[in-house]
């Protein structure tokens, strides 16, 4: 058997266009651990029930493999693949089986294959696309998020805090990329930009936004950025902690072996995301902004149909920082 994935890897196409992902297909591709067949390998010659047109029924086990699947399950998987890998009602077993291939391609093949390394940006985009669809599974979010963190951390020479912050995961969770930017900012002794301060506020599990901030998020964001710059100028300078930033890699696929416990990489950067002081400071700024937005928030609550009217603008001008000429 072979462990070289290049000759088994097949990019997926939909309506003649190459997608960001792919699958392993053929016979004889060994698992990375050396124990048995690669679980994501679509084995040629195995029976497939092509009459199955429903991918929402669970037909795969907890640790799915294509070789060990029933003909009906292979048919459901083929249906999911052929219809764009985007059915939100699909059983997560099919999503994981596909993800196993992306994970192996990114974590194993890319170590030695220039072709696989060139595909990494497309694999990142494909995993992000899947995360946007299959948000209900905490298990998938954790494993897919771990893969994204690992791949994005490989280019950690970039000063992330000098760029615009990426969206929070699920709209409320900091990713490793966020924590890396904060760590780099602290290590450089650079002021924390306002956009990054706002993102940290929204992604820290200990913070709480009052009703005005949640009811009027756009106005709250603008006011927070304004107040932060007024109070801290170019930004807070973060302390350097002794706690080092760690990246934990937890592969989902059994190709790496059931006894594989994952891998932790420690970076020579301070993990400031564990600090409470800076977050409490940002919380105080948020509280001040919420208080100033309170009257406008009450107006919007009582007159939703007039939220973007002249009357609403008049109410908003009563908020310091939003008046004419500012």
């Amino acid at each position: 058997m072979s462990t070289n994935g290049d000759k088994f890897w097949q990019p997926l196409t939909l309506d003649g266009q190459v997608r960001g992902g792919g699958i392993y297909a053929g016979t004889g591709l060994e698992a990375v651990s050396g124990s048995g067949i690669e679980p994501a390998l679509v084995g040629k010659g195995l029976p497939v029930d092509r009459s199955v047109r429903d991918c929402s029924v669970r037909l795969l086990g907890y640790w799915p493999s294509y070789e060990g699947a029933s003909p009906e399950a292979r048919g459901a998987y083929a249906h999911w693949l052929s219809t764009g890998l985007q059915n939100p009602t699909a059983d997560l077993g099919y999503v994981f089986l596909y993800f196993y291939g992306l994970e192996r391609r990114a974590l194993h093949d890319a170590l030695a294959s220039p072709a696989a390394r060139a595909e990494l940006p497309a694999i990142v985009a494909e995993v992000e696309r899947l995360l946007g669809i299959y948000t209900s599974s905490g298990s998938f979010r954790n494993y897919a998020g771990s893969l994204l963190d690992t791949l994005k951390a490989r280019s950690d020479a970039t000063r992330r805090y000098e760029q615009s912050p990426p969206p929070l995961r699920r709209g409320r969770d900091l990713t490793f990329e966020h924590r890396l930017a904060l760590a780099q900012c602290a290590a450089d002794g650079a002021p924390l930009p306002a956009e990054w301060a706002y993102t940290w506020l929204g992604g820290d599990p200990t913070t709480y936004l009052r009703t005005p901030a949640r009811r009027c998020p756009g106005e709250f964001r603008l006011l927070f950025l304004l107040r932060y710059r007024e109070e801290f100028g170019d930004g807070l300078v973060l302390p350097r902690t002794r706690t080092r930033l760690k990246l934990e890699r937890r592969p989902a696929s059994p190709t790496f072996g059931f006894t594989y416990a994952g891998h932790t990489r420690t970076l020579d950067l301070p993990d400031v995301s564990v600090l409470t002081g800076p977050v409490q400071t940002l919380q105080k700024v948020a509280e001040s902004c919420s208080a100033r937005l309170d009257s406008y928030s009450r107006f919007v609550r009582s007159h939703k149909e007039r939220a973007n009217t002249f009357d609403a603008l008049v109410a908003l001008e009563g908020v310091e920082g939003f008046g004419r000429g500012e």
Side-chain angles (χ1 to χ4, degrees):
M1 292 192 293
S2 172
T3 58
N4 180 8
D6 277 359
K7 62 182 181 180
F8 295 91
W9 184 253
Q10 296 184 7
L12 290 176
T13 59
L14 184 65
D15 297 329
Q17 300 295 319
V18 177
R19 297 190 63 87
I23 60 172
Y24 294 103
T27 56
L29 178 62
E30 191 175 30
V32 172
S33 66
S35 177
I37 292 291
E38 163 60 43
L41 179 69
V42 177
K44 292 184 177 179
L46 295 176
V48 180
D49 186 347
R50 298 289 180 179
S51 68
V52 178
R53 291 292 185 269
D54 184 3
C55 56
S56 64
V57 179
R58 183 170 188 176
L59 299 174
L60 293 170
Y62 186 79
W63 295 101
S65 74
Y66 189 86
E67 183 184 45
S70 67
E72 293 77 16
R74 296 183 193 126
Y77 183 51
H79 175 69
W80 181 70
L81 292 175
S82 65
T83 53
L85 307 88
Q86 57 190 358
N87 187 334
T89 67
D91 181 74
L92 265 294
Y94 309 115
V95 182
F96 266 109
L97 189 55
Y98 173 64
F99 177 74
Y100 287 173
L102 300 177
E103 191 177 58
R104 174 187 172 129
R105 188 68 172 161
L107 297 181
H108 178 71
D109 291 0
L111 295 178
S113 166
R117 283 195 294 273
E119 295 163 5
L120 290 179
I123 290 177
V124 166
E126 179 69 350
V127 175
E128 288 177 334
R129 184 189 70 84
L130 292 172
L131 275 172
I133 299 171
Y134 302 102
T135 59
S136 62
S137 169
S139 177
F140 182 69
R141 289 196 308 268
N142 290 337
Y143 283 118
S146 176
L147 177 60
L148 288 178
D149 290 345
T150 299
L151 297 182
K152 291 182 178 181
R154 288 179 177 175
S155 57
D156 58 12
T158 303
R159 290 293 182 264
R160 302 297 177 89
Y161 64 87
E162 294 178 348
Q163 306 169 3
S164 297
L168 295 169
R169 187 166 293 156
R170 295 188 297 157
R172 61 180 183 272
D173 296 331
L174 292 175
T175 66
F176 179 81
E177 191 173 9
H178 293 110
R179 295 190 294 118
L180 175 62
L182 297 175
Q184 290 173 334
C185 190
D188 290 349
L192 179 68
E195 288 284 1
W196 278 98
Y198 176 78
T199 299
W200 191 3
L201 173 75
D204 190 278
T206 66
T207 59
Y208 174 77
L209 297 182
R210 290 175 49 201
T211 299
R214 290 181 278 115
R215 182 180 291 145
C216 313
E219 291 80 4
F220 172 77
R221 174 183 171 275
L222 291 176
L223 188 56
F224 179 90
L225 297 178
L226 175 68
R227 293 303 178 201
Y228 178 84
R229 293 184 180 113
E230 285 181 347
E231 188 162 348
F232 303 108
D234 292 335
L236 284 168
V237 176
L238 303 175
R240 298 184 180 96
T241 66
R242 293 184 179 180
T243 303
R244 298 290 90 180
L245 184 66
K246 292 182 174 61
L247 172 63
E248 296 183 358
R249 189 179 77 190
R250 303 181 303 278
S253 175
T255 192
F256 296 97
F258 287 104
T259 60
Y260 183 76
H263 173 74
T264 299
R265 175 188 172 194
T266 301
L267 284 69
D268 189 21
L269 289 169
D271 186 2
V272 296
S273 68
V274 302
L275 297 176
T276 59
V279 174
Q280 290 173 352
T281 298
L282 299 180
Q283 181 76 61
K284 291 178 181 178
V285 177
E287 290 290 333
S288 172
C289 294
S290 291
R292 287 181 170 89
L293 276 177
D294 193 51
S295 61
Y296 175 71
S297 172
R298 291 198 303 271
F299 178 88
V300 171
R301 179 195 61 191
S302 302
H303 309 284
K304 292 182 180 179
E305 73 285 356
R306 298 163 64 188
N308 297 312
T309 65
F310 177 76
D311 290 340
L313 293 176
V314 171
L316 186 58
E317 283 190 344
V319 178
E320 184 182 352
F322 279 101
R324 289 188 179 92
E326 299 198 26

